[in-house]
Amino acid sequence: SSDELKSILQFITTVARKAGDLILEGSEAIQTTSSQETGVNEKKNSVDLVTEYDVRVEELIQRELKEKYPNFKFIGEESYSAGKRDPLTDEPTFCVDPIDGTTNFVHGIPWVCVSMGLIYERRPVIGLIYNPFLNHLYTGIKGQGAHLSRNNGEPRKLPLSSLPKPLLSLNGAVIAVEWGSDRNAASIDAKSLSFSRLAGDPEKGVALGKMAHSLRSLGSGALNCALVAQGAVDIYWEIGSWPWDVCAGIVLVQEAGGVVTGSHRTLESTISTDQFGDVTEAVLTGRKYLLIRGISDSQ
Ligand code: IPD
């Protein structure tokens, strides 16, 4: 029920704030430790990073959630990497990225968040994204809107700015794109091509005839979603996001009046996505790996 969802959100907010404190402590430790002792490890390649704090923050979150909601399932970035993952069923399932923006975290760039979603009947119904460095807390409940509280202030309804006209042109848009951690040639080529088309190289055939105001690669998929919900960014596009990168963000974007397209619709399928799309075509058709504000599927 909607009251149940509210009380779950209230509880996970307290957990996210504790996680945030540990992230801040970790950042301090990493920035003041010599590079040999930082506890930074590589996952699938030298740019796919995990720190001891990713693991510790996830353990803290999982412990608190299990204690309060022992029957809920749990999918977390770090437990998934360690081979422990509950299958996605219709049961309530938390989907957590303890530190989204790990590369930023390691380098001391304060654009990092904890991202916590709740999935019910295979659809995200609660989203929470918290950047402890800025004390920005984004929350959303399916059917009840999305909000942003800055510095513990009164939550403000999202989007903060009014929605633009249907986004049928790139003209004036700010687009968040990410390089991700897949750096094989096919992936990098597909991304570079899309980026240059978006940036407006006529030789590469800007499908929409206009160019975006700019592209941004800020380094956190979850915070990209939050910015789309806020209205600061018009589109977030990425190839190969993981469920925990976007689960909470999907609720925020949808509740703010935006549209989520591509395989993000079904969280399960984002796990092993390896398809590459052309983002300019996708802007027109509303398909593929996009989060768009101000355009609906039927347009
Ligand atoms: C990553 C970040 C990054 C995105 C990657 C994600 P992590 O998450 O969100 O911006 O490009 O696809 O996996 O590893 O920092 O939790």
Side-chain angles (χ1 to χ4, degrees):
S1 75
S2 78
D3 281 348
E4 271 166 336
L5 292 179
K6 268 189 196 140
S7 100
I8 295 170
L9 175 60
Q10 214 166 25
F11 178 74
I12 68 172
T13 301
T14 61
V15 177
R17 293 220 182 255
K18 286 187 202 171
D21 289 344
L22 187 53
I23 292 173
L24 293 178
E25 181 194 309
S27 174
E28 192 59 31
I30 285 187
Q31 299 318 310
T32 51
T33 317
S34 73
S35 57
Q36 283 84 6
E37 304 166 304
T38 49
V40 179
N41 294 304
E42 295 167 8
K43 288 202 272 194
K44 67 174 180 292
N45 60 30
S46 64
V47 296
D48 193 9
L49 303 178
V50 60
T51 69
E52 80 173 74
Y53 282 91
D54 292 73
V55 177
R56 279 179 60 187
V57 173
E58 182 158 317
E59 282 170 358
L60 178 153
I61 293 172
Q62 190 171 13
R63 193 170 57 240
E64 301 252 343
L65 295 180
K66 270 270 168 261
E67 208 172 288
K68 178 87 174 174
Y69 301 105
N71 298 325
F72 286 20
K73 305 274 185 292
F74 184 88
I75 296 174
E77 177 171 25
E78 304 317 328
S79 22
Y80 177 83
S81 298
K84 285 175 276 169
R85 174 177 175 259
D86 284 333
L88 188 61
T89 63
D90 281 347
E91 300 295 306
T93 304
F94 288 113
C95 185
V96 171
D97 192 340
I99 301 184
D100 188 59
T102 305
T103 306
N104 287 344
F105 177 72
V106 167
H107 289 266
I109 301 171
W111 192 250
V112 173
C113 67
V114 47
S115 174
M116 300 169 72
L118 178 70
I119 304 167
Y120 181 57
E121 294 180 339
R122 296 169 191 262
R123 289 288 174 267
V125 291
I126 293 180
L128 177 155
I129 292 175
Y130 174 53
N131 177 342
F133 292 91
L134 300 182
N135 193 356
H136 286 182
L137 174 70
Y138 296 85
T139 53
I141 298 179
K142 193 170 168 43
Q144 297 180 44
H147 296 86
L148 165 61
S149 161
R150 289 190 273 219
N151 300 318
N152 308 324
E154 245 342 270
R156 291 178 59 191
K157 197 163 168 31
L158 300 179
L160 296 183
S161 59
S162 62
L163 284 169
K165 305 114 253 133
L167 193 65
L168 288 173
S169 146
L170 293 179
N171 199 21
V174 171
I175 302 180
V177 296
E178 295 293 339
W179 290 101
S181 55
D182 282 331
R183 301 295 173 83
N184 60 71
S187 163
I188 285 296
D189 287 352
K191 288 171 189 167
S192 311
L193 180 64
S194 282
F195 297 174
S196 63
R197 292 175 76 133
L198 287 168
D201 179 351
E203 295 300 307
K204 300 238 165 81
V206 184
L208 306 179
K210 305 278 187 188
M211 34 182 128
H213 267 176
S214 200
L215 308 188
R216 293 285 181 273
S217 292
L218 299 167
S220 159
L223 284 169
N224 287 339
C225 297
L227 288 177
V228 171
Q230 184 177 327
V233 161
D234 296 289
I235 297 172
Y236 160 40
W237 179 76
E238 178 160 0
I239 292 169
S241 294
W242 294 77
W244 41 82
D245 295 327
V246 294
C247 180
I250 286 172
V251 180
L252 298 177
V253 168
Q254 290 177 333
E255 286 304 310
V259 169
V260 179
T261 64
S263 57
H264 293 142
R265 271 181 196 291
T266 54
L267 286 163
E268 192 78 340
S269 65
T270 67
I271 285 178
S272 62
T273 181
D274 61 359
Q275 299 165 35
F276 308 130
D278 173 352
V279 71
T280 48
E281 181 212 337
V283 170
L284 279 175
T285 57
R287 277 189 270 114
K288 303 195 178 129
Y289 306 88
L290 275 173
L291 300 167
I292 301 183
R293 191 172 76 116
I295 185 169
S296 80
D297 273 335
S298 58
Q299 280 164 329

Coordinates of all heavy atoms in Angstrom, one line a residue, residues 77 97 99-102 178 180 219-221 238 242 245, ligand 1:
E77 N 25.3 -4.4 -6.0 CA 26.4 -4.4 -6.9 C 27.6 -5.3 -6.4 O 28.1 -6.2 -7.2 CB 27.0 -3.0 -7.2 CG 28.2 -3.1 -8.1 CD 28.7 -1.7 -8.6 OE1 28.4 -0.7 -7.9 OE2 29.3 -1.7 -9.7
D97 N 23.2 0.1 -5.2 CA 24.6 0.4 -5.5 C 25.1 1.2 -4.3 O 24.7 2.4 -4.1 CB 24.6 1.3 -6.8 CG 26.1 1.4 -7.3 OD1 27.0 1.1 -6.5 OD2 26.2 1.7 -8.5
I99 N 28.1 2.5 -3.7 CA 28.8 3.7 -4.1 C 28.7 3.8 -5.6 O 29.4 3.1 -6.3 CB 30.3 3.7 -3.7 CG1 30.4 3.6 -2.2 CG2 31.0 5.0 -4.2 CD1 31.9 3.7 -1.6
D100 N 27.9 4.7 -6.1 CA 27.8 4.9 -7.6 C 28.6 6.1 -7.9 O 28.5 7.2 -7.3 CB 26.4 5.1 -8.1 CG 26.3 5.1 -9.6 OD1 26.7 4.0 -10.2 OD2 25.9 6.1 -10.2
G101 N 29.6 5.9 -8.8 CA 30.6 6.9 -9.1 C 31.9 6.5 -8.4 O 32.6 7.4 -7.8
T102 N 32.2 5.2 -8.4 CA 33.4 4.7 -7.7 C 34.7 5.4 -8.2 O 35.6 5.7 -7.4 CB 33.5 3.2 -7.8 OG1 32.3 2.6 -7.3 CG2 34.7 2.7 -6.9
E178 N 27.9 8.4 -20.8 CA 29.0 7.9 -20.0 C 29.9 7.0 -20.9 O 29.4 6.3 -21.8 CB 28.5 7.1 -18.8 CG 27.7 8.0 -17.8 CD 28.6 8.9 -17.0 OE1 29.9 8.7 -17.0 OE2 28.1 9.9 -16.5
G180 N 31.5 4.4 -19.4 CA 31.3 3.1 -18.8 C 32.6 2.4 -18.6 O 33.7 3.0 -18.9
G219 N 30.0 10.8 -14.5 CA 30.6 9.6 -13.8 C 29.7 8.9 -12.8 O 30.2 8.0 -12.0
S220 N 28.5 9.2 -12.7 CA 27.5 8.4 -11.9 C 26.2 8.3 -12.6 O 25.5 9.3 -12.8 CB 27.3 9.1 -10.5 OG 26.1 8.6 -9.9
G221 N 25.9 7.1 -13.0 CA 24.7 6.8 -13.7 C 23.5 7.2 -12.9 O 22.5 7.8 -13.4
E238 N 23.2 5.7 -22.0 CA 24.4 4.9 -21.7 C 24.2 3.5 -22.3 O 23.1 3.0 -22.4 CB 24.7 4.8 -20.2 CG 25.9 3.9 -20.0 CD 26.6 4.1 -18.6 OE1 26.1 4.9 -17.9 OE2 27.6 3.4 -18.4
W242 N 23.9 -1.2 -15.4 CA 23.5 -2.3 -14.6 C 22.2 -1.9 -13.8 O 22.0 -0.7 -13.6 CB 24.6 -2.6 -13.6 CG 25.8 -3.2 -14.3 CD1 26.8 -2.4 -15.0 CD2 26.2 -4.5 -14.4 NE1 27.7 -3.3 -15.5 CE2 27.4 -4.6 -15.1 CE3 25.7 -5.7 -13.9 CZ2 28.1 -5.7 -15.4 CZ3 26.4 -6.9 -14.2 CH2 27.6 -6.9 -15.0
D245 N 22.5 0.6 -11.1 CA 22.9 2.0 -11.5 C 21.6 2.8 -11.8 O 21.6 4.0 -11.6 CB 23.6 2.0 -12.9 CG 25.0 1.4 -12.8 OD1 25.6 1.5 -11.7 OD2 25.4 0.7 -13.8
Ligands
IPD1 C1 29.3 3.1 -12.8 C2 29.0 4.6 -12.9 C3 29.4 5.1 -14.3 C4 28.7 4.3 -15.4 C5 28.9 2.8 -15.3 C6 28.5 2.4 -13.9 P1 30.0 2.4 -10.3 O1 28.9 2.6 -11.5 O2 27.6 4.8 -12.8 O3 29.0 6.5 -14.5 O4 29.3 4.7 -16.6 O5 28.2 2.1 -16.2 O6 28.7 1.0 -13.7 O7 30.9 1.3 -10.8 O8 30.6 3.7 -10.0 O9 29.1 1.9 -9.2

